[in-house]
């Protein structure tokens, strides 16, 4: 979204654009007594398509044009109320023009705040992500039923997080395509619900190749992402294939940027050829919204059209169905009066939009499947347990010399120095796109609740070595009599967010200086890092820094989660969902270079192509030790694999389960994430270093316990993409490895002739 709203949502949640209110502001149709009752849109025996078509047919041209934007005016003449399509729920119901929170005490003044998606992705727990989606979808529907939001939520963000500088990277499930796809599948399933009538409409964004904000003179509003067909099919569009083709998400948001010369929201190749034709995303209610004011960008910033009216017409004719806007920014009336916008296009867009609302029971009142959801379902004890579980499971242990778990019992003699900018600041826990949590428990709050004696001091955030030092003396005083020093540092949302990318991935100088000073006290020192990945090289090398935990933005109960892990009440088992790069990586790679594979000019992106990470994707330590063993793998014949499967899309055909025996060989109970990677000199060069092909999370393995994980994987998971973007299953010898670093490996052979599982459509008249 645009900067005029983003600072509110990302930082203080106090903008005049979206602020707390006292009364519901969304109103809903009256299909019993109002003029709408006489229209077939209120006839629940008809299909969504029939009902929406009847509604659109009843509108005048002026009414139709007024409802092609996010803040639609409705049609009072026929009893159709205004509706704001723009609601947000990235990691809990959040502030947006279409979603408000009641001010003060009372109902609908808060929602459950989960960790940011990047930390939830670190759980590698699909079952948990679906539970999170169920909570968010349930609370979102409850807000909608009460008139504090709509039923359309513009989440999840499934853009791959390939560059560590990207300001919005923590909104995503990380850099790996399989992890993103499975996160998206679980989240969408949870949000939309299992029954025919949807709980809410979920939206996958931002379609496509959208992964930077503002770098070296280019912004997301004018950037042309030049992407090869190979990278487009394999990486940038693959998450959206999961959303649209496989998970049947309700809607898609097209992005600000252009792709190969054509603005995404006017890109027929993306929206029609790929999305609607190749992936068959054509069910009733499947609509595309623009990112907010992206329609204006077509003419004003991309200069793809001479006028706003022409750009607006291009967007709708190409397949955009609604223009998201803060205020009026597109020129729908101009496009219409100049004859650039067809009547059939307007009607098609409106039918798609209102089919979606029909399918979530918007017109059905108390007869809707989810009409009973209300305040009692918001902030429930069960939901709060899931939020805490998500934070605990996602936290990653990056360094430990056996200092953790802390050997302290509660009591006045157990003294903790808790130092740093977020040690005692609960407002830092949630990250971007947040609502108002029912509570926010900082680490200090949690430690005191456990009965520990705590001394605390703040600390710097982004200050450098020349900044006035107003924190060191207070920190030393707090640490003077402590048994342990817990330093809570990293970066907050002032370092990166929507409209703002990072320029460095170094630890802030002032924080490193403070950590060094504290380390000289000779006391056990644990660093707990907030925010995106930083180059931890100096902390990993320093023997005086005993342990490091990465907590990203852990949500409303983040302090409790951190303290449970530090004290050994829970065991860490999260894994990095991104690569931790060395600081000099940013000098070697322009953010605007979309290529993934290494070349003379590029060292490669993501763990698949970049070999010298500080700490690699999938890394994470435990309080115990594990041993793994891969069961023998059979030879696989391509012909037999395909003959046994009649799926509409062969890349979804299942392989025999990958069996991995796991033993807890240590002395503490712990979860364990089984990560299975694939490597082989197979398919087009260059060959990836390795690729994640499956994973699962095993729960609560006690010391000495042995179990066998059955990992699910598909033909698509072991396939490669050729230069034309085709998904191809190649014969050859493959090696499966488990864990990072590798614990076990096994080889298997795929026999037969290479076969195209998915033939990628070639663009017409576009230079790639």
């Amino acid at each position: 979204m645009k900067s005029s709203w983003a600072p509110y949502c990302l930082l203080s949640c106090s903008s005049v654009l979206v602020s707390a209110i006292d009364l519901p502001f969304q109103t809903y149709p009256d299909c019993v007594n109002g003029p709408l009752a006489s229209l077939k849109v209120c006839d629940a025996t008809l299909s969504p398509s029939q009902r929406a078509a009847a509604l659109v047919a009843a509108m005048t041209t002026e009414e139709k044009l007024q409802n092609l934007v996010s803040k639609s005016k409705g049609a009072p003449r026929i009893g159709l109320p205004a509706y704001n399509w723009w609601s947000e729920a990235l990691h809990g119901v959040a502030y947006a023009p279409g979603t408000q929170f009641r001010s003060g005490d009372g109902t609908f003044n808060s929602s459950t705040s989960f960790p940011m998606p990047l930390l939830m992705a670190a759980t590698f727990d699909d079952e948990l992500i679906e539970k999170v989606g169920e909570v968010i979808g349930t609370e979102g529907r409850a807000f909608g039923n009460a008139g504090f939001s709509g039923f359309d939520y513009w989440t999840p963000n499934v853009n791959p997080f390939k560059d560590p500088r990207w300001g919005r990277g923590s909104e995503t499930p990380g850099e790996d395509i399989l992890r993103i796809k499975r996160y998206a599948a679980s989240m969408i399933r949870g949000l939309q619900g299992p029954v025919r009538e949807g709980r809410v409409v979920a939206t996958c964004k931002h379609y496509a190749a959208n992964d930077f904000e503002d770098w070296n003179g280019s912004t997301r509003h004018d950037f042309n992402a030049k992407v090869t067909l190979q990278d487009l099919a394999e990486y940038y569009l693959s998450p959206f294939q999961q959303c649209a083709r496989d998970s049947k998400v309700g809607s898609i948001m097209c992005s600000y940027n252009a792709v190969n010369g054509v603005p995404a929201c006017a890109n027929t190749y993306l929206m029609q050829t790929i999305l609607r034709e190749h992936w068959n995303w054509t069910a009733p209610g499947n609509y595309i919204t623009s990112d907010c004011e992206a329609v204006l960008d077509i003419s004003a910033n991309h200069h793809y059209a001479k006028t706003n009216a022409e750009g607006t017409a291009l967007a709708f004719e190409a397949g955009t169905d609604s223009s998201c806007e803060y205020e009026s920014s597109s020129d729908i009336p101009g496009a219409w009066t100049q004859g650039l916008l067809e009547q059939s296009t307007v009607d098609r867009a409106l039918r798609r939009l209102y089919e979606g609302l029909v399918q979530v029971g918007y017109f059905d009142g108390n007869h809707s499947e989810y009409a009973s959801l209300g305040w009692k379902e918001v902030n429930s004890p069960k939901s709060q347990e899931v939020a805490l579980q998500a934070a605990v499971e996602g936290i990653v242990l990056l360094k430990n010399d056996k200092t953790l778990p802390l050997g302290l019992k509660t009591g006045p003699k157990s003294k903790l120095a808790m130092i740093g900018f977020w040690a005692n600041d609960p407002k830092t826990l949630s990250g971007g796109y947040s609502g108002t949590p029912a509570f926010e428990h900082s680490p200090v709050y949690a430690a005191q609740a456990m009965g520990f004696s705590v001394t605390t001091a703040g600390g710097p955030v982004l200050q450098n070595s020349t900044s006035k030092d107003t924190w060191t003396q207070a920190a030393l005083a707090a640490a003077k009599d402590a048994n342990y020093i817990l330093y809570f540092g990293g970066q907050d949302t002032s370092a990166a967010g929507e409209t703002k990318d990072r320029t460095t991935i170094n630890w802030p100088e002032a924080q490193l200086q403070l950590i060094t000073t504290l380390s000289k006290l000779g006391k056990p020192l644990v660093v707990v890092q907030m925010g995106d990945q930083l180059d931890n090289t100096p902390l990993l090398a320093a023997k005086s820094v005993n342990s490091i935990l990465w907590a990203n933005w852990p949500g409303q109960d983040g302090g409790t989660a951190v303290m449970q892990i530090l004290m050994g009440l829970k065991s860490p088992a999260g894994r990095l969902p991104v690569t931790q790069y060395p600081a000099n990586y940013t000098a070697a790679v322009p953010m605007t270079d979309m290529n993934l594979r290494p070349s003379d000019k590029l060292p490669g992106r993501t763990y698949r192509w970049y070999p010298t990470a500080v700490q690699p994707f999938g890394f994470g330590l435990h309080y115990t030790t594990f041993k793994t063993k891969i069961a023998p793998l059979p030879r696989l014949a391509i012909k037999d694999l395909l003959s046994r499967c009649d799926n509409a899309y062969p890349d979804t055909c299942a392989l025999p389960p990958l069996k991995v025996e796991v033993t807890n060989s240590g002395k503490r109970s712990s979860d364990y994430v089984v990560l299975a990677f694939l490597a082989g000199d197979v398919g087009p060069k260059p060959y990836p270093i390795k690729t994640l092909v499956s994973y699962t999370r095993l729960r609560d393995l006690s010391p000495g316990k042995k179990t066998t994980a059955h990992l699910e994987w598909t033909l698509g998971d072991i396939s490669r993409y050729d230069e034309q973007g085709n998904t191809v299953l190649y014969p050859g010898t493959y090696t499966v490895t488990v864990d990072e670093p590798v614990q076990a490996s096994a080889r298997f052979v795929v026999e037969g002739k290479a076969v195209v599982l998915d033939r990628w459509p070639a663009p017409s008249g576009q230079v790639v």
Side-chain angles (χ1 to χ4, degrees), residues 680-760:
D681 294 346
V682 177
K685 294 181 179 181
Y687 308 122
I689 299 166
K690 62 181 180 181
T691 301
L692 185 68
V693 290
S694 191
Y695 63 82
T696 193
R697 187 176 181 115
L698 302 175
R699 301 184 186 281
D700 199 23
L701 297 183
S702 57
K705 183 175 181 180
K706 180 187 296 184
T707 190
T708 299
H710 293 74
L711 302 182
E712 297 179 355
W713 51 342
T714 67
L715 298 186
D717 293 329
I718 68 170
S719 297
R720 298 283 313 283
Y721 289 75
D722 66 18
E723 292 184 357
Q724 289 73 46
N726 301 316
T727 307
V728 184
L729 178 58
Y730 292 96
T733 300
Y734 295 81
T735 300
V736 175
T737 59
V738 169
D739 215 337
E740 176 55 64
V742 175
Q743 281 212 29
S745 64
R747 290 186 175 185
F748 68 97
V749 174
V750 175
E751 300 174 327
K753 294 182 179 180
V755 61
V756 175
L757 301 178
D758 182 55
R759 191 167 297 280
W760 192 252

Side-chain angles (χ1 to χ4, degrees), residues 440-460:
E440 292 170 299
H441 291 163
S442 70
V444 167
Y445 171 94
Q448 291 174 335
M450 290 177 175
F452 290 103
S453 175
V454 174
T455 54
T456 186

Side-chain angles (χ1 to χ4, degrees), residues 244-245 248 272-283 286 649:
R245 190 192 75 177
K248 315 300 183 188
Q272 185 62 32
T273 305
I274 300 298
L275 183 59
R276 290 191 165 114
E277 295 176 5
H278 188 57
W279 293 337
N280 196 31
W281 190 67
T282 55
N286 287 161
Y649 303 103

Side-chain angles (χ1 to χ4, degrees), residues 502-581:
R502 295 192 292 176
T503 57
T504 176
I505 54 175
N506 281 306
W507 270 81
E509 291 178 351
Q511 290 198 48
L512 281 182
Q513 289 178 350
L514 180 57
I515 291 170
T516 300
T517 300
L518 292 171
S519 71
K520 293 178 180 178
L521 297 177
K523 300 183 179 187
L525 173 60
V526 177
V527 173
V528 188
Q529 180 194 342
M530 172 173 279
D532 291 320
Q533 288 297 304
L534 297 167
D535 181 354
N536 280 338
T537 298
L539 302 185
L540 295 170
K543 292 184 179 180
S544 54
V545 175
N546 303 95
S547 307
I548 304 171
L549 283 175
W550 175 67
N552 192 243
W553 283 280
Q556 64 182 33
D557 228 356
T560 304
V562 167
M563 291 308 301
Q564 286 185 350
I565 287 178
L566 290 175
M567 296 303 163
L569 301 176
K570 299 290 184 180
S571 294
R575 303 298 188 96
L576 286 180
V578 289
T579 299
Q580 185 184 122
Y581 292 93

Side-chain angles (χ1 to χ4, degrees), residues 30 42 49 54 56-57 70 90 196 200 202 207 212 239 304 398 418 430 444 461 466 481 507 512 533 623 683 753:
D30 184 354
C42 291
S49 296
V56 174
S70 54
L90 180 70
R196 184 168 177 263
V200 297
Y207 187 67
F212 91 102
Y304 192 73
L398 297 177
M418 303 181 72
S430 292
V444 167
V461 184
T466 62
D481 297 322
W507 270 81
L512 281 182
Q533 288 297 304
Y623 287 163
K753 294 182 179 180

Side-chain angles (χ1 to χ4, degrees), residues 584-597:
N584 61 8
Y585 181 82
T586 59
V589 182
M591 286 195 75
T592 50
D593 191 325
M594 305 299 288
N595 292 296
L596 299 168
R597 290 157 175 77

